mmCIF file of all heavy atoms in Angstrom:
data_model
loop_
_atom_site.group_PDB
_atom_site.id
_atom_site.type_symbol
_atom_site.label_atom_id
_atom_site.label_comp_id
_atom_site.label_asym_id
_atom_site.label_seq_id
_atom_site.Cartn_x
_atom_site.Cartn_y
_atom_site.Cartn_z
ATOM 1 N N LEU A 12 -3.345 15.567 -3.677
ATOM 2 C CA LEU A 12 -4.028 14.281 -3.748
ATOM 3 C C LEU A 12 -4.737 14.005 -2.430
ATOM 4 O O LEU A 12 -4.141 14.128 -1.358
ATOM 5 C CB LEU A 12 -3.011 13.179 -4.037
ATOM 6 C CG LEU A 12 -3.539 11.848 -4.573
ATOM 7 C CD1 LEU A 12 -4.135 12.029 -5.964
ATOM 8 C CD2 LEU A 12 -2.408 10.818 -4.614
ATOM 9 N N LYS A 13 -6.010 13.606 -2.512
ATOM 10 C CA LYS A 13 -6.760 13.222 -1.315
ATOM 11 C C LYS A 13 -6.781 11.702 -1.209
ATOM 12 O O LYS A 13 -7.273 11.020 -2.114
ATOM 13 C CB LYS A 13 -8.184 13.776 -1.361
ATOM 14 C CG LYS A 13 -8.252 15.269 -1.089
ATOM 15 C CD LYS A 13 -9.643 15.678 -0.650
ATOM 16 C CE LYS A 13 -9.621 17.045 0.019
ATOM 17 N NZ LYS A 13 -10.911 17.375 0.630
ATOM 18 N N VAL A 14 -6.243 11.210 -0.094
ATOM 19 C CA VAL A 14 -6.074 9.780 0.101
ATOM 20 C C VAL A 14 -6.812 9.352 1.366
ATOM 21 O O VAL A 14 -6.604 9.927 2.438
ATOM 22 C CB VAL A 14 -4.572 9.418 0.218
ATOM 23 C CG1 VAL A 14 -4.403 7.936 0.469
ATOM 24 C CG2 VAL A 14 -3.819 9.849 -1.035
ATOM 25 N N THR A 15 -7.648 8.325 1.236
ATOM 26 C CA THR A 15 -8.373 7.791 2.384
ATOM 27 C C THR A 15 -7.718 6.506 2.857
ATOM 28 O O THR A 15 -7.653 5.519 2.111
ATOM 29 C CB THR A 15 -9.845 7.524 2.033
ATOM 30 O OG1 THR A 15 -10.456 8.769 1.658
ATOM 31 C CG2 THR A 15 -10.597 6.929 3.219
ATOM 32 N N ILE A 16 -7.226 6.536 4.079
ATOM 33 C CA ILE A 16 -6.557 5.399 4.697
ATOM 34 C C ILE A 16 -7.573 4.651 5.547
ATOM 35 O O ILE A 16 -8.205 5.233 6.428
ATOM 36 C CB ILE A 16 -5.383 5.894 5.558
ATOM 37 C CG1 ILE A 16 -4.316 6.522 4.657
ATOM 38 C CG2 ILE A 16 -4.794 4.788 6.404
ATOM 39 C CD1 ILE A 16 -3.448 7.502 5.356
ATOM 40 N N VAL A 41 -16.526 7.532 4.736
ATOM 41 C CA VAL A 41 -16.089 8.402 3.643
ATOM 42 C C VAL A 41 -17.063 9.568 3.548
ATOM 43 O O VAL A 41 -18.175 9.426 3.040
ATOM 44 C CB VAL A 41 -16.013 7.640 2.307
ATOM 45 C CG1 VAL A 41 -15.598 8.587 1.180
ATOM 46 C CG2 VAL A 41 -15.041 6.477 2.409
ATOM 47 N N GLU A 43 -16.114 12.827 2.441
ATOM 48 C CA GLU A 43 -15.691 13.864 1.507
ATOM 49 C C GLU A 43 -15.132 13.201 0.259
ATOM 50 O O GLU A 43 -14.813 12.018 0.256
ATOM 51 C CB GLU A 43 -14.621 14.763 2.154
ATOM 52 C CG GLU A 43 -13.373 14.027 2.608
ATOM 53 C CD GLU A 43 -12.374 14.951 3.266
ATOM 54 O OE1 GLU A 43 -11.875 15.864 2.587
ATOM 55 O OE2 GLU A 43 -12.093 14.756 4.466
ATOM 56 N N LYS A 44 -15.029 13.968 -0.817
ATOM 57 C CA LYS A 44 -14.491 13.432 -2.072
ATOM 58 C C LYS A 44 -13.052 13.002 -1.861
ATOM 59 O O LYS A 44 -12.251 13.717 -1.276
ATOM 60 C CB LYS A 44 -14.556 14.497 -3.164
ATOM 61 C CG LYS A 44 -13.980 14.051 -4.501
ATOM 62 C CD LYS A 44 -14.793 12.936 -5.125
ATOM 63 C CE LYS A 44 -14.240 12.535 -6.490
ATOM 64 N NZ LYS A 44 -12.998 11.727 -6.413
ATOM 65 N N THR A 45 -12.741 11.801 -2.316
ATOM 66 C CA THR A 45 -11.389 11.290 -2.192
ATOM 67 C C THR A 45 -10.920 10.780 -3.545
ATOM 68 O O THR A 45 -11.737 10.430 -4.407
ATOM 69 C CB THR A 45 -11.317 10.169 -1.131
ATOM 70 O OG1 THR A 45 -9.950 9.789 -0.925
ATOM 71 C CG2 THR A 45 -12.114 8.941 -1.542
ATOM 72 N N ASP A 46 -9.608 10.745 -3.734
ATOM 73 C CA ASP A 46 -9.040 10.244 -4.986
ATOM 74 C C ASP A 46 -8.645 8.778 -4.894
ATOM 75 O O ASP A 46 -8.535 8.101 -5.915
ATOM 76 C CB ASP A 46 -7.788 11.062 -5.359
ATOM 77 C CG ASP A 46 -8.097 12.530 -5.546
ATOM 78 O OD1 ASP A 46 -8.999 12.843 -6.351
ATOM 79 O OD2 ASP A 46 -7.458 13.369 -4.877
ATOM 80 N N LEU A 47 -8.423 8.308 -3.659
ATOM 81 C CA LEU A 47 -7.871 6.966 -3.478
ATOM 82 C C LEU A 47 -8.289 6.414 -2.127
ATOM 83 O O LEU A 47 -8.161 7.091 -1.105
ATOM 84 C CB LEU A 47 -6.336 7.032 -3.564
ATOM 85 C CG LEU A 47 -5.533 5.785 -3.234
ATOM 86 C CD1 LEU A 47 -5.844 4.658 -4.213
ATOM 87 C CD2 LEU A 47 -4.037 6.111 -3.241
ATOM 88 N N ILE A 48 -8.785 5.172 -2.108
ATOM 89 C CA ILE A 48 -9.065 4.446 -0.874
ATOM 90 C C ILE A 48 -8.074 3.297 -0.780
ATOM 91 O O ILE A 48 -7.963 2.485 -1.706
ATOM 92 C CB ILE A 48 -10.507 3.904 -0.851
ATOM 93 C CG1 ILE A 48 -11.521 5.050 -0.827
ATOM 94 C CG2 ILE A 48 -10.716 2.982 0.350
ATOM 95 C CD1 ILE A 48 -12.963 4.601 -1.010
ATOM 96 N N TYR A 84 -17.588 5.477 -5.218
ATOM 97 C CA TYR A 84 -16.934 6.652 -4.639
ATOM 98 C C TYR A 84 -16.137 7.445 -5.679
ATOM 99 O O TYR A 84 -15.474 8.423 -5.319
ATOM 100 C CB TYR A 84 -16.029 6.230 -3.479
ATOM 101 C CG TYR A 84 -16.828 5.672 -2.315
ATOM 102 C CD1 TYR A 84 -16.984 4.296 -2.151
ATOM 103 C CD2 TYR A 84 -17.471 6.520 -1.417
ATOM 104 C CE1 TYR A 84 -17.740 3.780 -1.107
ATOM 105 C CE2 TYR A 84 -18.224 6.018 -0.371
ATOM 106 C CZ TYR A 84 -18.362 4.644 -0.223
ATOM 107 O OH TYR A 84 -19.125 4.136 0.806
ATOM 108 N N ASN A 85 -16.213 7.005 -6.937
ATOM 109 C CA ASN A 85 -15.552 7.708 -8.041
ATOM 110 C C ASN A 85 -14.081 7.966 -7.729
ATOM 111 O O ASN A 85 -13.583 9.092 -7.805
ATOM 112 C CB ASN A 85 -16.263 9.027 -8.353
ATOM 113 C CG ASN A 85 -15.791 9.633 -9.660
ATOM 114 O OD1 ASN A 85 -15.380 8.921 -10.576
ATOM 115 N ND2 ASN A 85 -15.827 10.956 -9.749
ATOM 116 N N CYS A 86 -13.400 6.895 -7.339
ATOM 117 C CA CYS A 86 -11.984 6.999 -6.973
ATOM 118 C C CYS A 86 -11.306 5.669 -7.245
ATOM 119 O O CYS A 86 -11.958 4.675 -7.601
ATOM 120 C CB CYS A 86 -11.843 7.378 -5.500
ATOM 121 S SG CYS A 86 -12.323 6.062 -4.352
ATOM 122 N N VAL A 87 -10.006 5.634 -7.072
ATOM 123 C CA VAL A 87 -9.255 4.385 -7.153
ATOM 124 C C VAL A 87 -9.351 3.665 -5.811
ATOM 125 O O VAL A 87 -9.347 4.298 -4.754
ATOM 126 C CB VAL A 87 -7.779 4.653 -7.513
ATOM 127 C CG1 VAL A 87 -6.948 3.378 -7.428
ATOM 128 C CG2 VAL A 87 -7.677 5.266 -8.906
ATOM 129 N N GLN A 109 -11.997 3.549 -11.246
ATOM 130 C CA GLN A 109 -13.454 3.662 -11.171
ATOM 131 C C GLN A 109 -14.159 3.181 -12.432
ATOM 132 O O GLN A 109 -15.340 2.854 -12.397
ATOM 133 C CB GLN A 109 -13.873 5.097 -10.833
ATOM 134 C CG GLN A 109 -13.262 6.177 -11.697
ATOM 135 C CD GLN A 109 -11.996 6.749 -11.099
ATOM 136 O OE1 GLN A 109 -11.041 6.033 -10.862
ATOM 137 N NE2 GLN A 109 -11.999 8.065 -10.854
ATOM 138 N N TYR A 239 -9.414 7.723 7.611
ATOM 139 C CA TYR A 239 -9.044 9.136 7.629
ATOM 140 C C TYR A 239 -8.613 9.548 6.229
ATOM 141 O O TYR A 239 -7.863 8.830 5.545
ATOM 142 C CB TYR A 239 -7.897 9.360 8.615
ATOM 143 C CG TYR A 239 -7.540 10.813 8.825
ATOM 144 C CD1 TYR A 239 -8.297 11.617 9.672
ATOM 145 C CD2 TYR A 239 -6.451 11.379 8.169
ATOM 146 C CE1 TYR A 239 -7.971 12.950 9.865
ATOM 147 C CE2 TYR A 239 -6.121 12.720 8.358
ATOM 148 C CZ TYR A 239 -6.882 13.499 9.205
ATOM 149 O OH TYR A 239 -6.570 14.824 9.397
ATOM 150 N N THR A 240 -9.070 10.715 5.796
ATOM 151 C CA THR A 240 -8.681 11.254 4.499
ATOM 152 C C THR A 240 -7.652 12.362 4.699
ATOM 153 O O THR A 240 -7.911 13.338 5.404
ATOM 154 C CB THR A 240 -9.905 11.785 3.729
ATOM 155 O OG1 THR A 240 -10.824 10.712 3.515
ATOM 156 C CG2 THR A 240 -9.485 12.361 2.378
ATOM 157 N N VAL A 241 -6.497 12.170 4.095
ATOM 158 C CA VAL A 241 -5.393 13.110 4.233
ATOM 159 C C VAL A 241 -5.079 13.717 2.875
ATOM 160 O O VAL A 241 -5.250 13.066 1.835
ATOM 161 C CB VAL A 241 -4.147 12.392 4.814
ATOM 162 C CG1 VAL A 241 -3.648 11.297 3.887
ATOM 163 C CG2 VAL A 241 -3.027 13.377 5.121
#
Side-chain angles (χ1 to χ4, degrees):
L12 198 66
K13 286 201 163 189
V14 178
T15 299
I16 294 156
V41 178
E43 59 181 297
K44 178 66 178 75
T45 186
D46 300 306
L47 172 63
I48 295 172
Y84 294 98
N85 192 29
C86 70
V87 173
Q109 51 267 59
Y239 186 80
T240 299
V241 63

